Structure formats: structure tokens, C-alpha cells
Amino acid sequence: MTTAMAPGKIILVGEHAVVYGRPAIAAPVWQRVAMATIEPAAPGAGCSLHARDVDLHLRLTVAGDDEPLAVVTRLALAQLGVAQEPDWRIELHSEIPIASGLGSGAALSTALVRAIFRQLGHEAEPAQVSSLVYESERFYHGTPSGIDNTVVAYGQPIWFVKGRQIQPFTPSVPLTIAIADSGVRSPTKTTVGDVRRAWQREPARYESIFDAIGELVCTTRRAMEEGDLPALGRLFDANQTLLESLDVSSETLHRLILAARRAGALGAKLSGGGRGGNVIALVEEEVVNRVSDALYTAGAQRVIVTQIGAEAR
Ligand code: MEV
């Protein structure tokens, strides 16, 4: 039996504008992972995929091209020169809620690709995994920037610009982030599609918002390099305001964000596609519990506290 896993992710700053070539910063979340297990099946049984969490059961031979996990499996097998369908039972399991901005699709596909490589005696390179997973991201995001597959495949914080060489990036002081799930499911494809249509209608207005986000991401990088947490908090807040002007926030997200700020978070914003999913709040150690309690009181379904940059120390 072969197993492999991959982390969830958060976008710290720069979502949506990153689809239009501006930079963004993202980090893995190892407290929530996706796992893939491959067991040999009886000779002639063929390859089947089972994701019990979402009640998905597929036969590789009959699954269509609208099934991202089947697409990724075929691509990975083709890359390894496997022409004949293997006799495998593949089980997928994820602790990452779907459509919540935590990269559940990218994490499942990444775990799957790694398990396939391992089962065939190879260890997949992050760049190889990332480019295979990108193909499934097209299904989840419509026009993905590639940031989710990249951060999940590399498993470390990154500075990301679409189409450029990735840059691993570690803040000079660890960042403590409370991640609160609004419980509202919002497919990334929908918000990415809505922003695209709005940009097509009013290109000048949207380009200037994307520029403002791009500049904010550059300033955020400097604040991270300098370990200036109060500045970073203000940048989270400013990014949230810009995301609101892209119309990807919601009343529920706003309520959580305000609750976190009032409880002492340095700053808070939505993370990922928006309209639902998760908000992230930058907190100092001494207020973590207070912010977490306030998020639950404001309606969060789950709060995870993660440290960005601590793992690299
Ligand atoms: C989703 O995690 C981030 C978005 O910018 C989409 C993308 O970059 O593909 C909303």
C-alpha cells in the first residue's frame, strides 16, 4: 500500500489580482491535509478512485474529462509512460472542507499525483506535481493563476507571480494566523468568473483595483521581511477593502472579520475566492484565544490557528 499527503493553503494577500498577473503571497496549512492511498486490486480489476468524503466513486476507463481527479490520474500515468490501466484501488480522503478557500481541490490532486508516482517507484518533484495539478485547477477555478497548485505542491510559503519561477518566501518573524471557516461554501470558479465578467465590462476600473492590490502585496512583502506585524495587520485590512470593491466579500465574512478585529486581531481579511469560505486574522500570541472565541461567537464553524514561517526555522 502507498500513501501520500498534501496540505491545505491560505492566500495571505493578493487573491484575484494574481489571476491578472499581479503578485500574491500564499502559505501551506499543515493542520488540514488531503491523503491518497493506493492498494493493488485483483488482476483485470482496472483502476478505481474513491473519495468517500464527497461520495465520489469513479472507474478510470469510463470517467469523463470533467472529472478532475481522473484527468490528473491519466496525466500522471502518461507522464510515467504507463500506457495500460493499472489494477489499483485509489482511496482519497481530505480534512479540508471543499469550496472554502483552503485549496481542497489542489491538495487532493497533489496527494493523488504523489501517491501515483510513489506506487510506481518514483518520488515526484514539486515542479512536476504542480504542473500536473494545474490541469485539475482549471476545472475548479476556470482560469486559475496557478497559485494553489504551486503552494500546495511546494508545501512552503511562496511569493507568486503567474508564469514566473516560484520564489519560496519566509517571513522574518513567524506569523500567527487564525483561520475561521464561515461554513458558507463558495466555489472559486464562480467568484473568479464573476470578477472576469466585471473586468470585461469595466476594464479600466478593475485594472486599477488589481494594480492597487499588486502594490499592497509588494508592501506586505517588505513588512514581512521587516517583521512589522502592526503594518502587516493594516495591510490585511486594506486588502480586504480592495476585495470588497471587487465584490467578492459577503456580510457573513464581514461579520467574522469585524469580530476578529474587535477582539484584538492586528488585521483580518477573506482568503481565497471569497463570498464564503475562510477569513484569516493576524494575531499576537496573547490574544489568540480571545480572537478565536470571538470568531466562534460571530458564527465561525471552525477556527484553526496556524504559524507561517515557524516551520522553516
Ligand atoms: C484562489 O485560492 C485564489 C484566486 O486568486 C484564484 C486563482 O488564483 O486561481 C481567487
Side-chain angles (χ1 to χ4, degrees), residues 63 155 201 238 267:
R201 275 195 306 273

Side-chain angles (χ1 to χ4, degrees), residues 9 11 14-19 101 141 143-148 188 191-192 272-273:
K9 71 94 199 18
I11 308 278
E15 52 273 271
H16 285 291
V18 69
V19 175
H141 292 194
T143 52
S145 63
I147 191 167
D148 284 17
T188 305
T191 49
V192 168

Side-chain angles (χ1 to χ4, degrees), residues 1-5 36-38 71-82 86 88 90 108-133 153:
M1 190 171 89
T2 306
T3 58
M5 70 174 188
T37 305
I38 303 182
V71 170
V72 162
T73 303
R74 288 190 195 112
L75 287 171
L77 290 172
Q79 192 156 108
L80 292 170
V82 178
W88 288 347
I90 306 179
L108 266 179
S109 296
T110 298
L112 175 59
V113 168
R114 284 211 179 111
I116 292 171
F117 270 65
R118 232 167 249 175
Q119 179 72 10
L120 294 166
H122 301 269
E123 212 40 59
E125 292 296 322
Q128 210 170 13
V129 178
S130 181
S131 71
L132 286 168
V133 173

Side-chain angles (χ1 to χ4, degrees), residues 32 49 65 70 73 88 103 121 123 135 139 141 146 157 160 183 185-186 200 203 210 281 284:
R32 290 286 178 273
L49 285 127
D65 283 343
T73 303
W88 288 347
E123 212 40 59
E135 294 308 317
F139 176 86
H141 292 194
F160 179 87
R185 297 292 159 250
S186 170
Q200 281 161 344
F210 298 149
E284 286 167 309

